[in-house]
Amino acid sequence: MAHLQLDLLLKETGYKPTKDQRFRIYLTNSLEESHPDTGTLFANWLSTEANEANYIKRDTPVMCVIGNPPYSVSSNNKSEWIEKLTADYKKDLNERNIQPLSDDYIKFIRFGQHFIDKNGSGVLAYISNNSFLDGIIHRQMRKHLLESFDKIYILDLHGNAKKREIGPDGSVDQNVFDIMQGVSLNIFVKTGRKKSGEFGKIFHFDLYGKREFKYEFLLSNTLKSISWNALNSTDSNNFFVHKNFYGIEKYATGFKIDDLFKINSNGIKTQRDDASIAFSKNECNILYNDFKNLSVEELRTKYKYIDVRDWKISYAKNDLLKNPLIAEKLHYRPFDTRYMNFTGKTKGVMGYPRFNVMRNFLNSNFGLIAKRGFDEFNSAPLFITKNIIDTRGWTRPGMQGSESIFPLYIYSESSTQQTLETQQEKVPNFNEAIIKKIEQGLNCKMLPEGVEVDLPAGYDGTFTPVDILDYIYAVLHSPTYREKYKEFLKIDFPRVSYPTDLSIFKKLVTLGGELRQIHLLESAVVNKFITQYPVDGDNNVTKIKYEVTDKTSEVLKTSEVWAISSGKVYINDHQYFDNVPTIAWEFYIGGYQPAQKWLKDRKGRKLEFEDILHYQKIIIALSETDRIMKEIDTIEIE
């Protein structure tokens, strides 16, 4: 195809070859090393093509690498050669999940860097996924590139639809391609004159706007005409974008979530959701009974299951035959609790049950959900649960790194799984040094576990572990706090300032407690419906659509919330939920918009009576969250 296109192009220019010439373009997998034995390929022309490609890979100096590499996190290009090269980007990271560094676009950048390093000079020019510019797990990659190249030019084209990017002035920002992932045009220059160990210089330019505007800018500008911003790579993360670290001194005095809570883990990873998770308990029971009673081949035929590395039908069947179920409810997505068959055993019905942490949710508990590096600023950087969570229970696919769950209490380990279910001895999952500092700042004592109280924080000079959780929950739901420290929230687990004013602490604990109960759908307020479901029908979810009907609605007045607009959420051509505030429809919890996601996940299913009630609870919960966040913002938080 490349030969044909170039031949047609040259003919249009009037070029005529003087002899039987071919373009020096060769068919090969760029991410594979040159191969010594190509004479055995089944076609003579293919052997010739491979030999020519091997000559380029092995012996020819590569001066320029140009491309539009594919984006594929689950890369199939896993040759020993490219895996060994990209290992340089993963060195000393100490991260739980480095899967994004196996993306094909990362491998192609490393491919180009390798040949230019081998030659001693050259230019690497790629338009690619832009997540490597400031991704935390890409920090070693950026360091490696700075060590290789003299100058790095980053024309950040933005356009990340997943993050709902907008221009600095609030204007529309569109992608230059028909994709959701933001992109950047990257030019890496190596002259061979830079001293060994010295970092190259970084030049960055942000380009926001509509697609046509970006096209026009790119056509009318050159490398020299763009007003590049020089960046200083003084931070250990070596970001390739501008970072405003104003306020770092104050922010750093707070305590970090992962320092306060002594243990945490990612959510469970089933490897096959459809083999262990279901919408209803009855559907889950059917799965359970089928695994116990059907043969491996019968299960494969009925459910179309395919064995993968960390999940096999035989493992799952054996697990369910030998081990009792010890948990059934799962925090699958925000406001979406589903049923599961959980035995706690490794490589069984679930690939990664994370039992050491998840066992603490077999009894009454709370868990904070947060992640390292959070840049979805439509949402607070944490959520709450009382159940075991899924690995993407709060972060959507595509976000760098999945969430972690931090249990409030740790239950003592039992000698056997059977006694664990009735074990009630627990301790707060807290770093005692941090708690001691909080006690000193408030001049209060945390009550020992086992002392049951139903009194406000600070009463009689005491507070409880739940008060600490509620305080954190309120602070991190403050829009002002999140905006003030947004650059730091992108980098690590969130920090929260130590409370020193008891009256402010009490107010925040009260509001955080309200939010916690609302998000767990345990508050009385979520039963005060603000929506209606007025039309009878089959309740089948077939076509989801939001239609604004009232731009000045006051339907939320009964819950002391005033909506700018409201509308109808259609689940099919005739049935809908009415008076749904736009703020609730568009509201983000982590990487999801629950009012939309919950319905989309039920497309093709029939809503039962309890489902209809549940959805209306979600709407009031989202609306109330917006109201309480505004109230939190009236309190001065350091």
Side-chain angles (χ1 to χ4, degrees):
M1 183 57 70
H3 285 104
L4 176 63
Q5 294 286 355
L6 286 172
D7 186 56
L8 291 172
L9 180 64
L10 289 176
K11 281 184 178 178
E12 288 178 5
T13 67
Y15 174 81
K16 294 181 180 179
T18 56
K19 56 182 179 179
D20 186 18
Q21 294 174 298
R22 71 156 283 171
F23 295 108
R24 297 181 67 187
I25 299 172
Y26 306 105
L27 178 65
T28 186
N29 184 339
S30 299
L31 298 183
E32 290 182 357
E33 192 176 16
S34 59
H35 198 282
D37 180 18
T38 55
T40 59
L41 294 173
F42 63 88
N44 182 59
W45 70 267
L46 194 55
S47 293
T48 303
E49 193 79 3
N51 282 327
E52 294 291 345
N54 281 338
Y55 171 70
I56 299 294
K57 289 181 176 183
R58 185 179 59 247
D59 303 321
T60 305
V62 175
M63 301 299 293
C64 186
V65 180
I66 302 172
N68 179 18
Y71 310 161
S72 176
V73 173
S74 300
S75 169
N76 290 318
N77 291 299
K78 297 180 180 180
S79 70
E80 183 180 352
W81 180 75
I82 193 60
E83 291 293 328
K84 185 176 180 180
L85 284 179
T86 53
D88 293 329
Y89 290 172
K90 304 171 185 177
K91 187 178 179 182
D92 300 326
L93 275 177
N94 193 29
E95 296 282 350
R96 283 178 177 170
N97 178 24
I98 58 173
Q99 176 64 25
L101 290 174
S102 296
D103 198 306
D104 273 339
Y105 92 90
I106 300 285
K107 291 178 178 178
F108 273 98
I109 289 176
R110 185 66 185 94
F111 161 82
Q113 180 191 3
H114 164 75
F115 280 104
I116 291 173
D117 282 345
K118 180 180 176 181
N119 190 49
S121 62
V123 177
L124 167 59
Y126 271 162
I127 185 165
S128 74
N129 182 319
N130 68 358
S131 60
F132 80 99
L133 301 182
D134 61 352
I136 298 303
I137 63 170
H138 299 88
R139 60 186 181 275
Q140 286 289 59
M141 172 187 177
R142 292 189 292 267
K143 180 183 177 184
H144 211 262
L145 292 169
L146 286 168
E147 289 172 340
S148 286
F149 294 96
D150 299 42
K151 293 182 179 179
I152 294 175
Y153 296 89
I154 304 293
L155 180 51
D156 197 339
L157 300 173
H158 294 281
N160 193 318
K162 293 178 179 178
K163 295 182 181 179
R164 303 180 74 192
E165 276 196 292
I166 58 174
D169 60 354
S171 59
V172 173
D173 182 55
Q174 295 178 336
N175 203 304
V176 293
F177 301 127
D178 291 325
I179 60 175
M180 299 187 74
Q181 173 61 52
V183 297
S184 60
L185 198 157
N186 320 297
I187 300 174
F188 305 83
V189 181
K190 186 180 184 75
T191 65
R193 295 191 293 268
K194 182 172 67 66
K195 294 179 182 178
S196 177
E198 185 178 88
F199 272 15
K201 296 179 180 179
I202 317 169
F203 301 93
H204 180 271
F205 186 84
D206 287 310
L207 186 60
Y208 292 97
K210 293 185 177 180
R211 180 181 292 186
E212 293 75 17
F213 169 76
K214 293 180 180 180
Y215 286 168
E216 184 179 342
F217 180 94
L218 293 169
L219 285 169
S220 59
N221 279 279
T222 66
L223 197 66
K224 289 185 177 181
S225 66
I226 294 173
S227 300
W228 299 100
N229 298 307
L231 303 181
N232 294 320
S233 57
T234 55
D235 184 81
S236 60
N237 291 298
N238 302 307
F239 294 115
F240 281 7
V241 297
H242 174 69
K243 293 286 185 180
N244 180 5
F245 288 142
Y246 177 78
I248 182 63
E249 295 83 4
K250 177 62 181 174
Y251 183 73
T253 62
F255 59 87
K256 218 156 43 114
I257 297 299
D258 59 324
D259 288 337
L260 172 65
F261 294 94
K262 293 187 291 186
I263 74 161
N264 71 86
S265 79
N266 295 132
I268 64 163
K269 193 171 185 180
T270 67
Q271 301 297 96
R272 289 263 2 171
D273 281 11
D274 58 351
S276 56
I277 299 173
F279 285 95
S280 69
K281 189 172 183 178
N282 182 55
E283 291 170 289
C284 215
N285 288 339
I286 292 172
L287 277 173
Y288 177 74
N289 290 325
D290 278 353
F291 268 99
K292 292 188 73 171
N293 299 320
L294 300 181
S295 69
V296 169
E297 287 308 314
E298 286 173 328
L299 286 164
R300 196 187 308 278
T301 301
K302 180 174 180 178
Y303 291 103
K304 312 299 182 189
Y305 292 148
I306 299 173
D307 289 349
V308 293
R309 188 189 68 181
D310 295 306
W311 188 92
K312 299 185 186 303
I313 302 174
S314 58
Y315 291 178
K317 181 177 176 64
N318 188 57
D319 183 12
L320 293 176
L321 281 172
K322 289 186 174 181
N323 301 299
L325 299 179
I326 58 175
E328 64 176 19
K329 288 190 176 181
L330 172 71
H331 173 108
Y332 189 71
R333 299 291 182 265
F335 302 112
D336 191 349
T337 301
R338 299 196 189 175
Y339 289 84
M340 64 174 172
N341 293 319
F342 185 83
T343 67
K345 295 298 180 182
T346 308
K347 298 291 186 289
V349 70
M350 292 184 178
Y352 297 90
R354 324 280 191 198
F355 183 69
N356 186 49
V357 170
M358 297 307 164
R359 67 177 183 81
N360 295 291
F361 293 93
L362 301 180
N363 290 305
S364 177
N365 212 340
F366 297 113
L368 282 183
I369 306 171
K371 73 182 290 289
R372 185 168 183 235
F374 186 78
D375 59 357
E376 302 286 322
F377 289 104
N378 297 301
S379 166
L382 81 172
F383 198 54
I384 191 76
T385 186
K386 294 181 74 173
N387 297 314
I388 293 169
I389 68 166
D390 183 68
T391 193
R392 285 296 184 186
W394 178 68
T395 60
R396 56 168 169 70
M399 290 174 69
Q400 291 186 41
S402 57
E403 62 273 73
S404 295
I405 185 168
F406 300 85
L408 178 61
Y409 298 113
I410 301 299
Y411 283 83
S412 61
E413 293 187 47
S414 302
S415 57
T416 65
Q417 182 172 287
Q418 287 75 16
T419 59
L420 179 62
E421 293 180 271
T422 59
Q423 180 59 255
Q424 294 298 315
E425 186 181 345
K426 62 181 180 181
V427 294
N429 181 28
F430 286 155
N431 180 320
E432 293 179 6
I434 293 177
I435 294 300
K436 195 166 190 64
K437 191 171 179 179
I438 292 173
E439 290 177 331
Q440 291 170 347
L442 294 174
N443 193 25
C444 288
K445 288 289 184 182
M446 189 173 77
L447 288 170
E449 205 48 51
V451 179
E452 299 295 332
V453 295
D454 188 19
L455 297 169
Y459 180 83
D460 198 26
T462 62
F463 61 86
T464 66
V466 176
D467 292 335
I468 295 296
L469 182 144
D470 290 342
Y471 168 74
I472 294 168
Y473 211 59
V475 171
L476 293 177
H477 271 86
S478 164
T480 300
Y481 188 89
R482 284 156 30 207
E483 176 63 27
K484 183 178 180 180
Y485 296 125
K486 64 181 180 181
E487 293 297 348
F488 315 123
L489 293 171
K490 292 178 184 179
I491 297 171
D492 207 339
F493 282 107
R495 287 182 181 268
V496 176
S497 54
Y498 281 93
T500 56
D501 186 303
L502 187 57
S503 63
I504 291 177
F505 178 72
K506 290 178 182 179
K507 292 176 183 177
L508 291 171
V509 168
T510 299
L511 291 172
E514 286 183 43
L515 268 180
R516 168 175 54 82
Q517 292 180 68
I518 286 169
H519 290 168
L520 294 172
L521 301 183
E522 293 178 346
S523 171
V525 74
V526 299
N527 294 312
K528 298 177 182 178
F529 294 163
I530 58 175
T531 54
Q532 293 84 43
Y533 188 69
V535 179
D536 289 334
D538 57 20
N539 298 331
N540 288 327
V541 183
T542 57
K543 186 168 68 174
I544 302 160
K545 181 180 69 171
Y546 182 71
E547 182 181 283
V548 175
T549 56
D550 186 353
K551 294 184 178 181
T552 58
S553 174
E554 295 179 5
V555 298
L556 301 185
K557 188 174 180 180
T558 55
S559 61
E560 300 178 348
V561 181
W562 294 75
I564 296 174
S565 65
S566 66
K568 297 176 179 178
V569 176
Y570 282 86
I571 66 166
N572 53 44
D573 288 334
H574 306 290
Q575 292 181 284
Y576 57 87
F577 293 92
D578 201 4
N579 288 332
V580 175
T582 304
I583 188 68
W585 176 248
E586 297 180 346
F587 204 91
Y588 272 84
I589 299 289
Y592 300 105
Q593 292 170 292
Q596 301 178 36
K597 176 67 174 172
W598 191 89
L599 284 175
K600 288 176 182 177
D601 283 354
R602 283 154 180 77
K603 201 167 183 180
R605 294 180 64 88
K606 175 183 177 180
L607 296 186
E608 303 296 340
F609 179 70
E610 288 299 323
D611 294 327
I612 294 167
L613 296 181
H614 184 83
Y615 186 74
Q616 294 183 85
K617 290 180 181 180
I618 293 175
I619 299 303
I620 187 62
L622 296 172
S623 303
E624 284 291 299
T625 300
D626 180 67
R627 176 185 68 81
I628 294 175
M629 288 197 308
K630 290 182 173 68
E631 191 172 344
I632 291 171
D633 246 11
T634 65
I635 301 172
E636 188 175 348
I637 303 172
E638 294 183 359

